[in-house]
Amino acid sequence: MPFFRRDGIRGIQADMNKSHETSTQKISRQAQSLSTQLQNLREQMYPPEARKSLKSFSSRETAALLGIAESTLRQMSLDGESAIPARQDNGRRVYTLSQINQLRRYLAEKRPQDALRFLPQRRDGEKLQILTVANFKGGSAKTTTALHLSHYLALSGLRILVVDLDPQASLSAMFGYQPEFDVEDGQTLYGALRYDDERVPVRDVIRKSYFDGIDIIPGNLELMEYEHETPQAIMSGRSRGQGIFFRRIKTALLEVEGDYDVVIIDAPPQLGYLTLGAIFAATGMLITVHPAMLDVASMNQFLAMTSDMLSVIEEAGGTMDHDFIHYVLTRHNPHDGPQVNIVTLLRSLFGDDVLAAVVVETTAIASAGLEKKSLYEMPRGSMVRDTLIRAIDSVDAVNSEILAHIQTAWGRT
């Protein structure tokens, strides 16, 4: 009789048990195994408390964000004005984003004639901007667009609320939340949308993020409950009037209207009740599109279905109030002939609704994503300098154009 080591026997028994698994059991086991490994990786990346933190900014970067000369910033530090930076071992001054925002408020008060430049938050009479980032097609960089836009606007001094409506919760993961570990029942936007007595104020599901100026409502699979419950609510009469399904997201967000300048919603990659609610709530829509034929064909279906569904909403008394709808070209290779042709086609059809700036295809965004970071979080020495600069310049151009549309909606020139 052959001799088996005890661990070998256990391995054989485990394999036998696996062979009798149903498909449901197998997928559940693999999901749990992967989830545990992801949690372990996160704890290795962000020890000891397993939470993300934002890098500090050099004097040069801080001066650029504030729009002042570096020498002015240095003199303010020497004079002890406002935030006092930390010193690195090499003697260089570095600022946290919280300190940069403190400097913004100080400069706005000290130079009232330039207050709007230093502190560009919305004023009385300027409505909350709710931007929904949407598309059907995977790979259109919807989540990446929402992430970089939120970081850019926060670095510009605006108060941002990020809402992850995608049950896959990729945006939440980029902000350091592993959905199945960090987001419990009732802690997504579903908690503020549900149709029963367990519904909570939206403020109860908002969290502070590690990125000063950005709060987040994370997502997880719980969001699918809204898709399942809404048809039942419609049939039972619980979804009507001000509580009708397509108004619920907007109603919830307006509860915290005074706390933010811009809300950025990462919509699910399908046209369900959540996406329709996000589109109805929006003051602006950003439709991401990779300029390839299959992606554009998918977007065409998205537009056709959205048009049909929005017509139904309008017939039910829902009035759309979008300040702008723009197409954001992502992962564009300007040296790819077919892509260039598609970009030309889209511009000829949609004109100025296609943003002039494009996000170029680059390994820098993918490399940052592996570390669950945006380009704005990457240290200068983390990748080839020219690659990082080109990528940031591309993303900056798109985000600054979006910011200009926001400011136009606020009535600013």
Side-chain angles (χ1 to χ4, degrees):
M1 181 176 179
F3 174 75
F4 290 98
R5 292 178 55 188
R6 189 176 298 275
D7 59 350
I9 294 174
R10 282 198 297 267
I12 292 172
Q13 291 173 336
D15 289 340
M16 291 178 63
N17 291 336
K18 290 179 184 178
S19 68
H20 291 91
E21 285 181 318
T22 66
S23 295
T24 300
Q25 291 170 332
K26 181 176 183 178
I27 293 172
S28 176
R29 174 177 56 79
Q30 292 176 338
Q32 180 60 43
S33 176
L34 179 57
S35 176
T36 300
Q37 289 303 311
L38 289 173
Q39 174 73 352
N40 292 338
L41 286 171
R42 188 186 70 168
E43 290 176 354
Q44 293 172 24
M45 292 172 66
Y46 309 116
E49 68 279 359
R51 288 292 181 267
K52 289 189 71 173
S53 60
L54 184 60
K55 70 172 187 176
S56 295
F57 296 83
S58 68
S59 292
R60 176 177 296 180
E61 292 172 321
T62 300
L65 287 171
L66 294 173
I68 61 176
E70 189 176 354
S71 58
T72 301
L73 180 64
R74 186 182 305 111
Q75 190 61 50
M76 289 175 63
S77 174
L78 292 172
D79 294 341
E81 293 185 75
S82 191
I84 305 301
R87 291 273 191 158
Q88 294 182 320
D89 292 340
N90 57 12
R92 292 181 178 175
R93 298 175 177 85
V94 292
Y95 295 81
T96 66
L97 183 54
S98 178
Q99 288 178 314
I100 293 172
N101 286 329
Q102 181 181 338
L103 286 165
R104 282 193 171 104
R105 291 188 290 270
Y106 173 79
L107 289 167
E109 185 176 347
K110 186 178 179 180
R111 308 181 192 177
Q113 70 278 11
D114 293 322
L116 194 59
R117 178 168 68 88
F118 289 123
L119 202 62
Q121 298 171 358
R122 65 191 182 95
R123 304 307 201 245
D124 290 342
E126 297 175 344
K127 68 181 177 182
L128 175 69
Q129 286 294 300
I130 302 174
L131 308 185
T132 293
V133 186
N135 203 331
F136 272 173
K137 188 73 170 63
S140 69
K142 178 173 60 67
T143 297
T144 302
T145 298
L147 175 72
H148 283 88
L149 178 60
S150 68
H151 285 189
Y152 177 88
L153 295 179
L155 289 170
S156 300
L158 297 180
R159 303 166 300 165
I160 309 301
L161 175 62
V162 169
V163 182
D164 192 352
L165 276 190
D166 189 342
Q168 298 177 78
S170 298
L171 186 59
S172 301
M174 296 300 286
F175 274 91
Y177 294 105
Q178 191 170 335
E180 63 273 33
F181 282 100
D182 303 321
V183 186
E184 299 180 359
D185 291 346
Q187 294 183 345
T188 70
L189 190 63
Y190 168 72
L193 301 180
R194 57 192 304 163
Y195 296 92
D196 58 23
D197 293 338
E198 294 185 35
R199 184 160 58 92
V200 299
V202 72
R203 199 178 299 278
D204 289 0
V205 297
I206 295 175
R207 305 187 185 192
K208 293 289 182 185
S209 80
Y210 69 96
F211 205 108
D212 194 67
I214 300 180
D215 291 347
I216 181 172
I217 302 177
N220 67 11
L221 290 174
E222 176 189 61
L223 288 163
M224 292 301 298
E225 296 296 324
Y226 189 70
E227 303 291 348
H228 299 151
E229 291 178 4
T230 295
Q232 300 172 13
I234 293 173
M235 292 180 64
S236 66
R238 288 176 294 151
S239 175
R240 58 188 175 187
Q242 290 302 309
I244 196 168
F245 76 89
F246 60 81
R247 297 187 192 275
R248 295 177 86 85
I249 292 177
K250 184 173 184 178
T251 299
L253 293 176
L254 290 180
E255 291 177 16
V256 292
E257 180 179 11
D259 297 342
Y260 303 101
D261 304 306
V262 180
V263 177
I264 298 172
I265 302 176
D266 186 18
Q270 68 271 339
L271 195 58
Y273 295 110
L274 285 170
T275 301
L276 288 172
I279 292 174
F280 180 80
T283 60
M285 274 189 64
L286 299 172
I287 301 171
T288 55
V289 55
H290 172 53
M293 186 55 69
L294 285 177
D295 296 76
V296 172
S298 175
M299 185 185 72
N300 181 55
Q301 294 302 308
F302 170 75
L303 294 176
M305 292 178 65
T306 300
S307 174
D308 289 343
M309 294 303 295
L310 293 184
S311 295
V312 173
I313 287 177
E314 288 182 339
E315 290 173 4
T319 303
M320 300 295 138
D321 186 24
H322 295 132
D323 293 320
F324 56 83
I325 298 176
H326 287 298
Y327 297 87
V328 184
L329 298 172
T330 64
R331 297 173 46 228
H332 176 42
N333 181 354
H335 305 294
D336 184 310
Q339 282 198 26
V340 172
N341 290 337
I342 289 175
V343 171
T344 301
L345 171 66
L346 291 175
R347 294 195 187 282
S348 67
L349 291 174
F350 302 149
D352 292 340
D353 287 337
V354 181
L355 293 184
V358 303
V359 179
V360 297
E361 189 170 26
T362 172
T363 58
I365 292 177
S367 297
L370 290 174
E371 298 185 34
K372 293 187 178 179
K373 294 180 178 178
S374 75
L375 292 174
Y376 300 117
E377 299 177 89
M378 297 299 288
R380 290 290 178 177
S382 59
M383 62 182 70
V384 177
R385 182 175 180 273
D386 288 346
T387 300
L388 180 58
I389 290 175
R390 280 197 300 270
I392 290 178
D393 286 346
S394 168
V395 173
D396 273 353
V398 169
N399 289 334
S400 65
E401 193 172 344
I402 296 171
L403 176 56
H405 288 296
I406 293 172
Q407 293 173 328
T408 298
W410 283 339
R412 304 181 191 178
T413 56

